Amino acid sequence: MRDAASGHGSGYDAELQRHDRVLRRACGVRPGDRVLDIGCGTGRTTRQAARAARAGSALGVDVSAPAIERARELATGEGLGNVSFEHADAQSHRFPPDRFDLAMSRFGTMFFADPVAAFANIGRALRPAGRLVMMVWQSPERNEWDVAIRRALGDAARRAPTGPDAFSLADPPAVERILEAAGFSGIAFADVHEPVYYGPDAAAALDWVRGFTCTSEALNRLDPAGSARAVGRLREMLTAHQRDDGVWFDSRAWIVTAHRDRAS
């Protein structure tokens, strides 16, 4: 992924354009809903939720202050009066209790240091029986973009055993245990098989991929000559994935749905 919280910016929204449609359908935001968007980045999904919740509201939170500043600018430019944003860590932020009908997230929940505590905190912000709908990556071997990038980077791309992991919520039984411990029930998983978009051509895709944490860290571990060779392999790989409508990679994700236990 692009950074530890998520890949913020217009490029990230473009990358996940197919996933957005799937998430919107899964969320099914109703006109009067009060929505909490976890790891909202620059607020695209929050603004979409606010437009659907025209008699309700949407709050987006993210750990990136620049992303939140940009989210506010975009919402103001679109004239949305029922959306707000907070620079906050959903793992520990003191949300109003029993406030939201829906907590949603587009790849914004995989980096919690203590996922049980984080989801319990989010659950307390939901009204009893309130819904959680989040999109997370499936395992790395099921995501062509991860396999191809790491193959091009070679040995330098070996994943560190610690640190942020974009695939930390890939295993359904593990996620079910986390959510149950956090006070959720009715947990279900739906397969999402949509491609990711990396740019209009290989040059733009290379700029995008070089900003990924896994890429930049791998290149920094190499000497200048080795780094140049790895970049060349990345360029060749991205060129091989270029189509008439841009550079695309296969990907697999889960839509995870659950609801807060009434007794929690």
Side-chain angles (χ1 to χ4, degrees):
M1 296 299 293
R2 177 157 277 259
D3 62 32
S6 57
H8 301 311
S10 59
Y12 190 63
D13 288 333
E15 176 185 340
L16 298 174
Q17 56 189 271
R18 299 284 188 89
H19 295 77
D20 277 358
R21 293 195 288 268
V22 177
L23 182 62
R24 287 200 302 273
R25 289 196 298 269
C27 286
V29 176
R30 299 164 298 191
D33 277 347
R34 292 171 294 186
V35 181
L36 173 62
D37 189 6
I38 306 297
C40 67
T42 56
R44 177 182 174 89
T45 50
T46 322
R47 298 193 307 276
Q48 291 171 341
R51 283 191 286 269
R54 54 188 179 274
S57 63
L59 169 64
V61 299
D62 200 279
V63 295
S64 169
I68 289 297
E69 182 179 352
R70 181 58 177 154
R72 289 169 176 157
E73 292 172 354
L74 291 169
T76 299
E78 294 180 12
L80 289 170
N82 66 335
V83 65
S84 58
F85 297 93
E86 290 189 28
H87 175 216
D89 185 348
Q91 183 170 241
S92 55
H93 183 68
R94 297 187 67 175
F95 295 107
D98 304 331
R99 168 70 179 173
F100 299 98
D101 301 288
L102 167 68
M104 59 177 286
S105 182
R106 184 189 66 177
F107 301 111
T109 57
M110 297 96 66
F111 305 104
F112 295 133
D114 185 340
V116 173
F119 285 112
N121 190 49
I122 293 166
R124 286 189 290 270
L126 289 170
R127 63 174 178 76
R131 296 182 299 135
L132 171 69
V133 180
M134 63 180 179
M135 186 175 282
V136 300
W137 295 117
Q138 293 188 29
S139 59
E141 62 270 17
R142 302 203 77 195
N143 279 279
E144 182 186 36
W145 54 272
D146 186 77
V147 172
I149 291 170
R150 293 187 181 278
R151 184 175 295 145
L153 290 171
D155 290 341
R158 284 194 292 256
R159 185 175 287 106
T162 60
D165 181 7
F167 304 100
S168 68
L169 299 178
D171 180 51
V175 173
E176 190 165 3
R177 288 192 295 270
I178 289 169
L179 292 178
E180 286 177 346
F184 286 90
S185 60
I187 302 157
F189 298 80
D191 179 49
V192 179
H193 190 187
E194 294 286 353
V196 290
Y197 174 77
Y198 277 5
D201 53 42
L206 180 61
D207 286 342
W208 181 240
V209 169
R210 290 190 69 167
F212 289 12
T213 299
C214 64
T215 308
S216 60
E217 289 182 350
L219 293 176
N220 287 338
R221 285 193 287 268
L222 298 170
D223 60 36
S227 178
R229 288 192 296 271
V231 169
R233 292 193 298 271
L234 283 170
R235 185 180 295 108
E236 291 176 3
M237 178 270 293
L238 294 166
T239 299
H241 280 82
Q242 183 170 337
R243 311 187 318 205
D244 290 343
D245 58 346
V247 179
W248 295 84
F249 285 86
D250 192 33
S251 80
R252 300 298 281 264
W254 296 116
I255 285 280
V256 185
T257 56
H259 59 261
R260 175 188 168 184
D261 281 338
R262 291 183 181 273
S264 65

